[in-house]
Amino acid sequence: MTVTSDVPRADLIGCPNCDLLHRAKPIAEGERAVCQRCHTVLIAPRAAAYSRALALSVANLILVTAAVFHPFLEIHAAGIVNRVSLLDVATSFGTGALVVVTVTSVAMILLVPLLRALLLAYALTPLALQHRAYAGARWAFRVAQELKPWAMTEIFVIGCAVALVKVAGLARLNFGPAFWMFIALSAFVILVDRSLCTWSIWSALDEAEKKPRRQPARRVRQ
Amino acid sequence: MTTAREEGLVTCRTCARVWPGTAEACGRCGARLSSRDALSLQRVWAWWIAGVACYIPANLYPMLVTETLTSRSESTIIGGAIDIAKHGDLGIALIVLIASVFIPVVKFIAIAYLGLSVKLRSQQTPVGRMHLFEVIEFIGRWSMIDVFVVAILSALVQLSVVASIQPGPAALAFALSVIFTMFSAKSFDPRLIWDYLPTRAGSRAP
């Protein structure tokens, strides 16, 4: 794939990691195009990617919302039972600078995954339905991708397991329903990200913005 | 093989679209464009120093303060892992040690190595350094485990006089250290690894 100046710029793809230019060609679903020099995956389209990612994003929205209100761990000690939901965690570091820790933890466990699911659903809905892209869809998708490393549901799940062991000598702990929701959520997030090929989505958004606005239904006078 | 910069073009690192070298923002995704991030290394080192600086108090101060009817104990990151190991849960102790000690230390060393290798215009093992960068970006987040454990425990273990757990000052220092190091890795522009390598010479014909 030698790139010469006669290739239209829109057909070029630059490797985000090493800047090498390639000519972008549509490839079959399930195949991957990697950078010749640094092997970064450039294009990796998946079958039915948009509807699958959309469905999973909606599922994630529901899971995060439900998980807020259900306890994720409960503790039994000396006849006392304490159940905590994420709302309780959010308010646990009562004093001083440690509030920062609470706020960041809750943001990473709850707010960022929620926001990502919302933004992805917003950007992908018109692609899945083959409609014209919504206003701001590009912004939504870019922010969703930039937030990716800060959504830490799967790390929180491991944290729950460690917490369980850590107080084993002190009290008995059980997992609550929200814990299992978070396990499902972590799996779904991985599936969403696996089905999203950035290059294909940006191209699809480009196409989706060229579509005409839907005509308002014509009223027929009798 | 030519790079976008050699062609007078600039690549968007967010959506991989290519633009003329003079463009300032990507016309497709809106991300800010720069052919090479001139301040990349400065930002890497600034966040790196902040991360290392926070990692020291994170290990010296207690992470958790446990109060029971009869006793009060404070545990640091490493002390907490040793306690878990004494309970017989070697696997979990290992997870804590890997997430809170091994990953941060490896990350500090690896980022410093990448920064220095670019500064010294190294031409050694670019693919290896690229993989190292990807691994660092991937594993850095996992250090947050211990912070979440502290957040979970201090919310959960509030059993009036029987037992209570409070977060210690190390929780904040450690959380900041992880976040700063994530910023440090994010500031690194991996294209710098490849800039001192010849692209035309020795490249295979298509």
Side-chain angles (χ1 to χ4, degrees), chain B residues 7-45:
Chain B
E7 299 276 331
L9 301 168
V10 53
T11 304
C12 171
R13 286 204 62 209
T14 305
C15 75
R17 187 90 148 76
V18 178
W19 299 96
T22 49
E24 289 192 345
C26 175
R28 178 157 75 173
C29 72
R32 207 169 49 83
L33 294 176
S34 67
S35 178
R36 291 298 176 274
D37 192 344
L39 293 175
S40 166
L41 284 185
Q42 276 187 35
R43 274 204 301 274
V44 168
W45 286 115

Short mmCIF file of all heavy atoms in Angstrom, two decimals, chain B residues 7-45:
data_model
loop_
_atom_site.label_atom_id
_atom_site.label_comp_id
_atom_site.label_asym_id
_atom_site.label_seq_id
_atom_site.Cartn_x
_atom_site.Cartn_y
_atom_site.Cartn_z
N GLU B 7 4.38 13.83 4.44
CA GLU B 7 3.56 14.27 3.31
C GLU B 7 2.99 15.67 3.54
O GLU B 7 2.14 16.13 2.77
CB GLU B 7 2.40 13.29 3.10
CG GLU B 7 2.84 11.88 2.77
CD GLU B 7 3.13 11.68 1.29
OE1 GLU B 7 2.52 12.38 0.49
OE2 GLU B 7 3.98 10.85 0.96
N GLY B 8 3.36 16.29 4.65
CA GLY B 8 2.81 17.61 4.96
C GLY B 8 1.38 17.54 5.46
O GLY B 8 0.63 18.51 5.39
N LEU B 9 1.00 16.37 5.97
CA LEU B 9 -0.37 16.20 6.47
C LEU B 9 -0.34 15.98 7.99
O LEU B 9 0.73 15.81 8.58
CB LEU B 9 -1.02 14.98 5.80
CG LEU B 9 -1.11 15.03 4.28
CD1 LEU B 9 -1.49 13.67 3.72
CD2 LEU B 9 -2.12 16.07 3.85
N VAL B 10 -1.51 15.99 8.59
CA VAL B 10 -1.57 15.72 10.02
C VAL B 10 -2.71 14.72 10.27
O VAL B 10 -3.78 14.80 9.67
CB VAL B 10 -1.74 17.02 10.84
CG1 VAL B 10 -2.91 17.83 10.36
CG2 VAL B 10 -1.86 16.74 12.32
N THR B 11 -2.44 13.73 11.13
CA THR B 11 -3.42 12.69 11.43
C THR B 11 -4.18 13.04 12.70
O THR B 11 -3.57 13.47 13.67
CB THR B 11 -2.72 11.34 11.64
OG1 THR B 11 -1.94 11.05 10.50
CG2 THR B 11 -3.73 10.22 11.86
N CYS B 12 -5.49 12.84 12.67
CA CYS B 12 -6.27 13.01 13.89
C CYS B 12 -6.09 11.77 14.75
O CYS B 12 -6.36 10.66 14.29
CB CYS B 12 -7.76 13.19 13.56
SG CYS B 12 -8.79 13.17 15.02
N ARG B 13 -5.64 11.95 15.99
CA ARG B 13 -5.38 10.78 16.83
C ARG B 13 -6.67 10.17 17.37
O ARG B 13 -6.66 9.07 17.92
CB ARG B 13 -4.44 11.14 17.98
CG ARG B 13 -3.00 11.32 17.52
CD ARG B 13 -2.03 11.08 18.64
NE ARG B 13 -2.12 9.73 19.14
CZ ARG B 13 -1.85 9.40 20.39
NH1 ARG B 13 -1.50 10.30 21.25
NH2 ARG B 13 -1.95 8.14 20.78
N THR B 14 -7.79 10.87 17.22
CA THR B 14 -9.05 10.33 17.73
C THR B 14 -9.76 9.50 16.67
O THR B 14 -10.24 8.41 16.95
CB THR B 14 -9.96 11.48 18.20
OG1 THR B 14 -9.24 12.26 19.14
CG2 THR B 14 -11.23 10.94 18.84
N CYS B 15 -9.83 10.02 15.43
CA CYS B 15 -10.62 9.30 14.43
C CYS B 15 -9.81 8.86 13.22
O CYS B 15 -10.36 8.30 12.28
CB CYS B 15 -11.84 10.12 14.01
SG CYS B 15 -11.48 11.49 12.90
N ALA B 16 -8.48 9.12 13.21
CA ALA B 16 -7.57 8.62 12.18
C ALA B 16 -7.73 9.27 10.81
O ALA B 16 -7.12 8.86 9.85
CB ALA B 16 -7.64 7.09 12.04
N ARG B 17 -8.58 10.29 10.72
CA ARG B 17 -8.74 11.03 9.47
C ARG B 17 -7.50 11.89 9.26
O ARG B 17 -6.86 12.32 10.21
CB ARG B 17 -9.99 11.91 9.59
CG ARG B 17 -10.39 12.62 8.33
CD ARG B 17 -11.35 11.75 7.52
NE ARG B 17 -12.31 12.57 6.77
CZ ARG B 17 -12.01 13.24 5.67
NH1 ARG B 17 -10.79 13.19 5.20
NH2 ARG B 17 -12.91 13.95 5.05
N VAL B 18 -7.16 12.12 7.98
CA VAL B 18 -5.94 12.87 7.65
C VAL B 18 -6.33 14.25 7.13
O VAL B 18 -7.24 14.38 6.30
CB VAL B 18 -5.13 12.10 6.59
CG1 VAL B 18 -3.90 12.86 6.20
CG2 VAL B 18 -4.75 10.73 7.13
N TRP B 19 -5.62 15.28 7.60
CA TRP B 19 -5.92 16.67 7.23
C TRP B 19 -4.67 17.37 6.76
O TRP B 19 -3.56 16.93 7.05
CB TRP B 19 -6.50 17.42 8.43
CG TRP B 19 -7.76 16.81 8.92
CD1 TRP B 19 -7.89 15.93 9.94
CD2 TRP B 19 -9.07 16.99 8.39
NE1 TRP B 19 -9.20 15.55 10.09
CE2 TRP B 19 -9.95 16.18 9.15
CE3 TRP B 19 -9.60 17.75 7.34
CZ2 TRP B 19 -11.31 16.12 8.88
CZ3 TRP B 19 -10.96 17.69 7.09
CH2 TRP B 19 -11.81 16.87 7.85
N PRO B 20 -4.83 18.50 6.02
CA PRO B 20 -3.64 19.28 5.64
C PRO B 20 -2.91 19.75 6.90
O PRO B 20 -3.54 19.98 7.94
CB PRO B 20 -4.23 20.48 4.89
CG PRO B 20 -5.62 20.11 4.53
CD PRO B 20 -6.07 19.09 5.52
N GLY B 21 -1.58 19.89 6.78
CA GLY B 21 -0.76 20.21 7.95
C GLY B 21 -1.14 21.47 8.69
O GLY B 21 -0.82 21.64 9.85
N THR B 22 -1.88 22.37 8.02
CA THR B 22 -2.20 23.63 8.67
C THR B 22 -3.47 23.55 9.50
O THR B 22 -3.77 24.47 10.27
CB THR B 22 -2.40 24.72 7.60
OG1 THR B 22 -3.28 24.21 6.60
CG2 THR B 22 -1.08 25.12 6.96
N ALA B 23 -4.25 22.49 9.34
CA ALA B 23 -5.53 22.38 10.06
C ALA B 23 -5.28 22.34 11.57
O ALA B 23 -4.32 21.74 12.04
CB ALA B 23 -6.28 21.13 9.61
N GLU B 24 -6.15 23.01 12.32
CA GLU B 24 -5.98 23.05 13.78
C GLU B 24 -6.89 22.09 14.52
O GLU B 24 -6.54 21.60 15.58
CB GLU B 24 -6.21 24.47 14.28
CG GLU B 24 -5.07 25.39 13.86
CD GLU B 24 -5.10 26.71 14.56
OE1 GLU B 24 -6.13 27.04 15.16
OE2 GLU B 24 -4.07 27.41 14.49
N ALA B 25 -8.08 21.85 13.94
CA ALA B 25 -9.00 20.91 14.58
C ALA B 25 -9.51 19.95 13.53
O ALA B 25 -9.63 20.31 12.35
CB ALA B 25 -10.15 21.65 15.25
N CYS B 26 -9.81 18.73 13.95
CA CYS B 26 -10.30 17.73 13.02
C CYS B 26 -11.70 18.11 12.56
O CYS B 26 -12.58 18.37 13.37
CB CYS B 26 -10.32 16.36 13.69
SG CYS B 26 -11.06 15.08 12.67
N GLY B 27 -11.89 18.16 11.23
CA GLY B 27 -13.19 18.55 10.69
C GLY B 27 -14.25 17.49 10.88
O GLY B 27 -15.43 17.73 10.67
N ARG B 28 -13.84 16.29 11.24
CA ARG B 28 -14.81 15.22 11.41
C ARG B 28 -15.23 15.05 12.86
O ARG B 28 -16.39 15.10 13.19
CB ARG B 28 -14.26 13.91 10.86
CG ARG B 28 -15.23 12.77 11.06
CD ARG B 28 -14.99 11.66 10.10
NE ARG B 28 -13.82 10.89 10.46
CZ ARG B 28 -13.48 9.77 9.84
NH1 ARG B 28 -14.20 9.34 8.83
NH2 ARG B 28 -12.42 9.11 10.20
N CYS B 29 -14.23 14.85 13.76
CA CYS B 29 -14.61 14.55 15.14
C CYS B 29 -14.40 15.75 16.06
O CYS B 29 -14.84 15.72 17.20
CB CYS B 29 -13.85 13.34 15.66
SG CYS B 29 -12.12 13.65 15.97
N GLY B 30 -13.71 16.78 15.58
CA GLY B 30 -13.58 17.98 16.39
C GLY B 30 -12.39 17.98 17.34
O GLY B 30 -12.18 18.95 18.06
N ALA B 31 -11.61 16.89 17.35
CA ALA B 31 -10.46 16.84 18.25
C ALA B 31 -9.39 17.83 17.79
O ALA B 31 -9.27 18.14 16.60
CB ALA B 31 -9.89 15.44 18.29
N ARG B 32 -8.59 18.32 18.75
CA ARG B 32 -7.52 19.24 18.41
C ARG B 32 -6.42 18.46 17.69
O ARG B 32 -6.08 17.34 18.09
CB ARG B 32 -6.97 19.86 19.69
CG ARG B 32 -6.34 21.24 19.52
CD ARG B 32 -6.08 21.85 20.90
NE ARG B 32 -5.38 20.92 21.79
CZ ARG B 32 -4.06 20.75 21.79
NH1 ARG B 32 -3.32 21.41 20.97
NH2 ARG B 32 -3.51 19.91 22.65
N LEU B 33 -5.87 19.05 16.64
CA LEU B 33 -4.85 18.35 15.86
C LEU B 33 -3.47 18.89 16.20
O LEU B 33 -3.30 20.09 16.41
CB LEU B 33 -5.08 18.56 14.37
CG LEU B 33 -6.34 17.96 13.76
CD1 LEU B 33 -6.43 18.36 12.29
CD2 LEU B 33 -6.33 16.46 13.89
N SER B 34 -2.48 18.00 16.26
CA SER B 34 -1.10 18.47 16.25
C SER B 34 -0.26 17.38 15.61
O SER B 34 -0.43 16.20 15.91
CB SER B 34 -0.60 18.78 17.67
OG SER B 34 -0.52 17.60 18.42
N SER B 35 0.62 17.82 14.69
CA SER B 35 1.42 16.84 13.98
C SER B 35 2.26 16.05 14.97
O SER B 35 2.31 14.82 14.92
CB SER B 35 2.32 17.54 12.97
OG SER B 35 3.12 16.61 12.32
N ARG B 36 2.93 16.77 15.88
CA ARG B 36 3.56 16.14 17.04
C ARG B 36 3.28 17.04 18.21
O ARG B 36 3.33 18.26 18.08
CB ARG B 36 5.08 16.01 16.88
CG ARG B 36 5.55 15.04 15.83
CD ARG B 36 5.11 13.62 16.12
NE ARG B 36 5.52 12.76 15.01
CZ ARG B 36 4.81 12.57 13.92
NH1 ARG B 36 3.64 13.15 13.77
NH2 ARG B 36 5.26 11.77 12.96
N ASP B 37 3.00 16.44 19.33
CA ASP B 37 2.73 17.23 20.51
C ASP B 37 4.05 17.70 21.11
O ASP B 37 4.76 16.93 21.74
CB ASP B 37 1.95 16.37 21.51
CG ASP B 37 1.37 17.21 22.61
OD1 ASP B 37 1.82 18.35 22.76
OD2 ASP B 37 0.47 16.72 23.31
N ALA B 38 4.39 18.98 20.87
CA ALA B 38 5.70 19.49 21.29
C ALA B 38 5.87 19.45 22.80
O ALA B 38 6.97 19.26 23.31
CB ALA B 38 5.88 20.92 20.77
N LEU B 39 4.77 19.63 23.52
CA LEU B 39 4.86 19.67 24.99
C LEU B 39 4.62 18.30 25.61
O LEU B 39 4.54 18.18 26.82
CB LEU B 39 3.86 20.68 25.54
CG LEU B 39 4.17 22.14 25.17
CD1 LEU B 39 3.06 23.05 25.65
CD2 LEU B 39 5.50 22.56 25.77
N SER B 40 4.47 17.28 24.74
CA SER B 40 4.12 15.95 25.25
C SER B 40 5.04 15.51 26.38
O SER B 40 4.59 15.17 27.47
CB SER B 40 4.20 14.94 24.10
OG SER B 40 4.18 13.63 24.59
N LEU B 41 6.36 15.54 26.14
CA LEU B 41 7.29 15.02 27.14
C LEU B 41 7.26 15.84 28.42
O LEU B 41 7.35 15.29 29.52
CB LEU B 41 8.71 14.96 26.57
CG LEU B 41 8.95 13.81 25.60
CD1 LEU B 41 10.40 13.77 25.17
CD2 LEU B 41 8.54 12.48 26.21
N GLN B 42 7.11 17.15 28.27
CA GLN B 42 7.03 17.99 29.48
C GLN B 42 5.85 17.59 30.34
O GLN B 42 5.96 17.47 31.56
CB GLN B 42 6.85 19.46 29.09
CG GLN B 42 8.15 20.15 28.78
CD GLN B 42 7.92 21.64 28.57
OE1 GLN B 42 7.07 22.24 29.20
NE2 GLN B 42 8.67 22.21 27.65
N ARG B 43 4.71 17.38 29.68
CA ARG B 43 3.52 16.99 30.45
C ARG B 43 3.70 15.61 31.06
O ARG B 43 3.32 15.37 32.20
CB ARG B 43 2.29 17.02 29.55
CG ARG B 43 1.64 18.38 29.46
CD ARG B 43 0.17 18.23 29.10
NE ARG B 43 0.02 17.55 27.81
CZ ARG B 43 0.06 18.19 26.65
NH1 ARG B 43 0.21 19.48 26.62
NH2 ARG B 43 -0.07 17.53 25.53
N VAL B 44 4.30 14.69 30.28
CA VAL B 44 4.55 13.35 30.80
C VAL B 44 5.34 13.44 32.10
O VAL B 44 4.97 12.86 33.12
CB VAL B 44 5.33 12.49 29.78
CG1 VAL B 44 5.83 11.21 30.43
CG2 VAL B 44 4.46 12.16 28.59
N TRP B 45 6.45 14.22 32.08
CA TRP B 45 7.30 14.29 33.27
C TRP B 45 6.61 15.01 34.41
O TRP B 45 6.77 14.63 35.58
CB TRP B 45 8.64 14.97 32.93
CG TRP B 45 9.54 14.08 32.13
CD1 TRP B 45 9.96 14.28 30.85
CD2 TRP B 45 10.12 12.82 32.53
NE1 TRP B 45 10.75 13.25 30.43
CE2 TRP B 45 10.86 12.34 31.43
CE3 TRP B 45 10.06 12.05 33.69
CZ2 TRP B 45 11.56 11.14 31.47
CZ3 TRP B 45 10.74 10.85 33.73
CH2 TRP B 45 11.49 10.40 32.63
#
